[in-house]
Amino acid sequence: MDVSEKRRAVKAIVSKIASVSDQTQTDGICKLRQLSRDDPESRQLIVDANAVPLIAELLYSSSPLMQENATATLLNLSIASKEHLMWSGGALDALSHALRHPASPFVAQCAAATIFSLLSSESFRPIIGDKRDIIFGLLEIVRDQKSAPRSIKDAVSALFAIALYPLNRAQMVEMGAVQALFSLMINNGRSGLIEDASAVIAQIAGCEESWEVFNRTFGVEVLLDFLDSATGSSSRIKENAVSALLNLVQFGGKKVADELRERIQGGVHGGIVDVSENGSSRGKQKAQQFLKLLDDTSSSV
């Protein structure tokens, strides 16, 4: 089938999801999902057929089958045309709705993964980070003990990308991201999720609002425990803990540095030294910088 034939076939399928018949819409979106999954070349053709706004509308359906196929299709399309999804009327709002009101766990997972896909473009991070409903929906997945591990992983990955834009961090703190992520790290035994969540924590620590919340929720103690050699944390978790503590000092100033200096004991100090000697190049640099701040009792930060 040549491109012109594919284009005609795509338009015929897209016309189905514009139908007033639920059965016809369901048939159309199921076919679009399969096509966008199996034929990468079709993704741009689907976008060019102005299908995104129609697919987005299906995310408001109460039908699990409709929502699942629509979110999976948007995820596939985000690989080919992130810009079109971002600027298509209502697509972000529809994804936000699917996050907060998923008809099935698979819908929440696909919506979170689609948002993470969009966030791979740096220019979209301030836009998505400004949408409180999206952050709220991602945090609800993290908080919900019934969430599937894959859904949590995709939600945490999206939160990490949002936190990479510094001006998003204060809002994330305000909305309870610190509490949700530390709760996940304490209560979830999967090391991969703990590593991912600690990476988000390291980013969120980089704002002036973080210290008070970290302190109040015993987040600082959790970070210090991760660095204690007795806890057996992975090297990545230790590096993220060092990065978080360094950010807290850099944004909290001398008062924070003095308080941390008093709370860091032998085992924790040894963990920081271990990162400074055996961590990745970036981890070593941050640990050495943090140790310098701890050792320099007279300097301001």
Side-chain angles (χ1 to χ4, degrees):
M1 186 183 294
D2 63 22
V3 175
S4 60
E5 290 175 323
K6 278 188 179 182
R7 184 173 287 109
R8 284 194 296 271
V10 165
K11 286 183 178 180
I13 299 173
V14 170
S15 69
K16 289 189 172 187
I17 63 174
S19 171
V20 295
S21 164
D22 287 347
Q23 183 176 349
T24 303
Q25 282 187 321
T26 300
D27 179 59
I29 193 60
C30 288
K31 288 180 177 177
L32 276 185
R33 176 187 178 182
Q34 182 178 4
L35 186 62
S36 64
R37 180 191 65 205
D38 297 340
D39 182 8
E41 291 182 357
S42 72
R43 294 167 185 163
Q44 189 60 50
L45 298 178
I46 294 170
V47 168
D48 292 342
N50 295 318
V52 172
L54 296 172
I55 298 170
E57 278 297 314
L58 300 182
L59 297 188
Y60 295 98
S61 170
S62 60
S63 163
L65 182 62
M66 195 86 83
Q67 269 200 8
E68 287 173 2
N69 282 280
T71 50
T73 303
L74 288 180
L75 175 58
N76 293 336
L77 297 182
S78 72
I79 299 170
S81 185
K82 293 175 175 52
E83 292 79 8
H84 200 94
L85 260 69
M86 279 294 299
W87 307 126
S88 289
L92 275 183
D93 289 338
L95 285 167
S96 171
H97 175 84
L99 275 178
R100 293 176 290 112
H101 307 286
S104 72
F106 181 76
V107 171
Q109 177 190 325
C110 281
T114 303
I115 290 169
F116 176 56
S117 176
L118 296 174
L119 286 162
S120 64
S121 295
E122 289 185 25
S123 60
F124 296 158
R125 290 170 189 166
I127 300 167
I128 294 175
D130 195 46
K131 290 188 173 291
R132 294 175 64 91
D133 284 351
I134 287 180
I135 296 176
F136 178 83
L138 294 170
L139 289 174
E140 281 300 289
I141 292 175
V142 173
R143 291 188 184 105
D144 189 351
Q145 295 183 355
K146 297 179 182 178
S147 295
R150 183 70 216 183
S151 298
I152 297 174
K153 184 174 180 62
D154 287 331
V156 170
S157 296
L159 289 168
F160 175 77
I162 291 172
L164 286 176
Y165 182 65
L167 296 183
N168 289 336
R169 296 169 188 167
Q171 177 165 256
M172 295 177 75
V173 172
E174 176 201 337
M175 295 183 69
V178 173
Q179 296 91 324
L181 290 164
F182 274 119
S183 178
L184 175 66
M185 289 190 288
I186 293 169
N187 297 318
N188 193 297
R190 297 168 65 93
S191 61
L193 283 177
I194 297 174
E195 289 178 349
D196 291 345
S198 66
V200 187
I201 283 292
Q203 293 298 322
I204 295 178
C207 68
E208 293 179 359
E209 294 79 2
S210 285
W211 171 253
E212 180 182 350
V213 179
F214 274 58
N215 220 11
R216 190 173 66 242
T217 58
F218 301 101
V220 174
E221 281 75 8
V222 174
L223 294 174
L224 296 178
D225 283 345
F226 284 153
L227 286 167
D228 194 321
S229 56
T231 61
S233 300
S234 71
S235 57
R236 184 181 170 209
I237 292 173
K238 288 182 177 179
E239 289 191 15
N240 288 335
V242 169
S243 180
L245 293 169
L246 177 61
N247 271 337
L248 288 173
V249 171
Q250 289 177 328
F251 283 84
K254 188 175 185 298
K255 177 182 177 181
V256 173
D258 290 343
E259 186 166 339
L260 282 177
R261 191 178 296 114
E262 292 178 2
R263 293 160 72 172
I264 289 177
Q265 304 299 320
V268 175
H269 190 274
I272 302 169
V273 171
D274 179 60
V275 174
S276 73
E277 295 175 349
N278 303 308
S280 65
S281 57
R282 185 175 179 82
K284 287 179 181 178
Q285 181 183 15
K286 287 182 176 292
Q288 290 164 5
Q289 189 176 357
F290 187 50
L291 285 170
K292 185 176 185 300
L293 290 175
L294 293 177
D295 292 339
D296 191 356
T297 58
S298 62
S299 67
S300 59
V301 293

